[in-house]
């Protein structure tokens, strides 16, 4: 039986852009598990009401319902121990937790202001009022105030990536010789940007960009097939 996964999409069903959903799409492919992705929009709260909350990703595996990308990754690792490991070992899992927190506390604040207006441009018409009202209330600014991205913002983001750059100068993936969930966490953030923004956040010869290209090719180009920019 295929695992069902509710996946946030834009105006087109093949423009999946949630970084948290991309973590799990890559994790499911890594685990070699069959999945049925169900396109989901911001205002379709009723469709996932059975999960007891209002955000994706949500997976349904038989009679099991799991939400939150970290919880889902741990569920997949525990439930399918004979499939390729997402973490490698318990010690590595602790290190991946640091990567998760670094992504959410450092990368998001630097990247999201440059992408928030692009999200608004690419979501379905029925989601636009909801998105504008909720984001403007949270951010204290109009979406249009985020429209013009400054080069200094891009430069700052590239500087923040220094730890990734140094790591990828010494090994092919963040997890070592082969990609694991640490890679999927960070890659998902770049896939979010690629799905909705034409901005070139990485120089071509940047080790982070070369790693990103390898990630795009994984699993028969799963992420590359998603509608987006280069």
């Amino acid at each position: 039986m295929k695992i069902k996964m509710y996946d946030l999409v834009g105006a087109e069903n093949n423009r999946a852009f949630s970084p948290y959903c991309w973590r799990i799409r890559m994790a499911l492919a890594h685990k070699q598990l069959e999945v049925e992705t169900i396109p989901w929009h911001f205002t379709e709260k009723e469709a996932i009401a059975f999960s007891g909350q209002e955000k994706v990703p949500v997976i349904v595996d038989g009679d099991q319902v799991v939400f939150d990308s970290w919880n889902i990754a741990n569920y997949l690792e525990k439930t399918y121990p004979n499939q390729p490991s997402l973490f490698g070992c318990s010690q590595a899992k602790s290190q991946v937790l640091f990567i998760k927190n670094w992504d959410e506390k450092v990368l998001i604040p630097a990247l999201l202001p440059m992408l928030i207006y692009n999200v608004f441009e690419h979501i379905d018409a029925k989601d636009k009022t909801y998105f504008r009202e909720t984001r403007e209330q949270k951010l204290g600014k109009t979406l249009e105030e985020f429209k013009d991205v400054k080069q200094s913002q891009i430069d700052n983001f590239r500087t923040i990536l220094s730890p990734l750059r140094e790591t990828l100068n010494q090994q092919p993936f963040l997890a070592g010789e082969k990609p694991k969930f640490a890679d999927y966490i960070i890659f998902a953030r770049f896939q979010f940007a690629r799905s909705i923004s034409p901005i070139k956040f990485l120089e071509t010869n940047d080790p982070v960009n070369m790693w990103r290209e390898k990630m795009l090719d994984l699993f028969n180009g799963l992420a590359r097939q998603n509608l987006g920019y280069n």
Side-chain angles (χ1 to χ4, degrees), residues 76-98:
L76 295 175
E77 190 77 345
K78 181 179 179 180
T79 306
Y80 299 98
N82 295 326
Q83 300 299 101
S85 175
L86 289 171
F87 302 110
C89 64
S90 58
Q91 183 178 5
K93 180 180 173 181
S94 298
Q95 296 167 349
V96 176
L97 182 59
F98 170 81

Side-chain angles (χ1 to χ4, degrees), residues 31-72:
K31 281 286 190 182
Q32 301 171 6
L33 299 170
E34 288 190 288
V35 59
E36 174 190 352
T37 55
I38 302 171
W40 182 86
H41 298 90
F42 282 115
T43 52
E44 296 175 343
K45 308 296 186 185
E46 317 81 36
I48 58 169
F50 64 87
S51 70
Q53 50 87 63
E54 298 184 335
K55 296 180 180 180
V56 291
V58 173
I59 67 165
V60 180
D61 186 16
D63 60 356
Q64 296 296 309
V65 176
V66 191
F67 60 88
D68 180 87
S69 62
W70 183 250
N71 290 342
I72 294 172

Side-chain angles (χ1 to χ4, degrees), residues 2 9 16 21 60 62 74 105-106 124 131 136 157 167 219:
K2 290 184 179 180
V9 298
C21 290
V60 180
N74 281 280
K105 302 300 182 182
V106 178
D124 194 271
F131 187 82
E136 289 185 350
F157 177 69
T167 301
F219 315 123

Side-chain angles (χ1 to χ4, degrees), residues 33-189:
L33 299 170
E34 288 190 288
V35 59
E36 174 190 352
T37 55
I38 302 171
W40 182 86
H41 298 90
F42 282 115
T43 52
E44 296 175 343
K45 308 296 186 185
E46 317 81 36
I48 58 169
F50 64 87
S51 70
Q53 50 87 63
E54 298 184 335
K55 296 180 180 180
V56 291
V58 173
I59 67 165
V60 180
D61 186 16
D63 60 356
Q64 296 296 309
V65 176
V66 191
F67 60 88
D68 180 87
S69 62
W70 183 250
N71 290 342
I72 294 172
N74 281 280
Y75 167 82
L76 295 175
E77 190 77 345
K78 181 179 179 180
T79 306
Y80 299 98
N82 295 326
Q83 300 299 101
S85 175
L86 289 171
F87 302 110
C89 64
S90 58
Q91 183 178 5
K93 180 180 173 181
S94 298
Q95 296 167 349
V96 176
L97 182 59
F98 170 81
I99 293 290
K100 170 187 176 292
N101 290 328
W102 183 77
D103 169 65
E104 294 172 3
K105 302 300 182 182
V106 178
L107 286 192
I108 287 180
L111 189 59
L112 189 58
M114 296 187 283
L115 297 176
I116 194 76
Y117 190 79
N118 296 124
V119 174
F120 179 72
E121 289 182 307
H122 286 90
I123 56 178
D124 194 271
K126 68 181 181 181
D127 285 345
K128 287 185 181 290
T129 298
Y130 164 83
F131 187 82
R132 178 182 289 280
E133 290 177 352
T134 56
R135 271 50 181 185
E136 289 185 350
Q137 181 179 15
K138 182 177 181 179
L139 297 168
K141 296 181 180 180
T142 66
L143 294 179
E144 284 71 20
E145 290 180 78
F146 294 94
K147 186 175 182 179
D148 296 324
V149 175
K150 298 180 176 63
Q151 183 61 44
S152 60
Q153 291 175 277
I154 299 173
D155 292 341
N156 178 61
F157 177 69
R158 290 174 177 173
T159 299
I160 287 172
L161 298 178
S162 293
L164 296 182
R165 195 170 292 114
E166 290 303 314
T167 301
L168 294 167
N169 264 327
Q170 299 177 55
Q171 58 192 45
F173 296 98
L174 298 178
E177 291 301 312
K178 295 182 179 181
K180 287 186 170 62
F181 199 58
D183 293 272
Y184 306 145
I185 288 173
I186 302 301
F187 170 72
R189 198 64 58 188

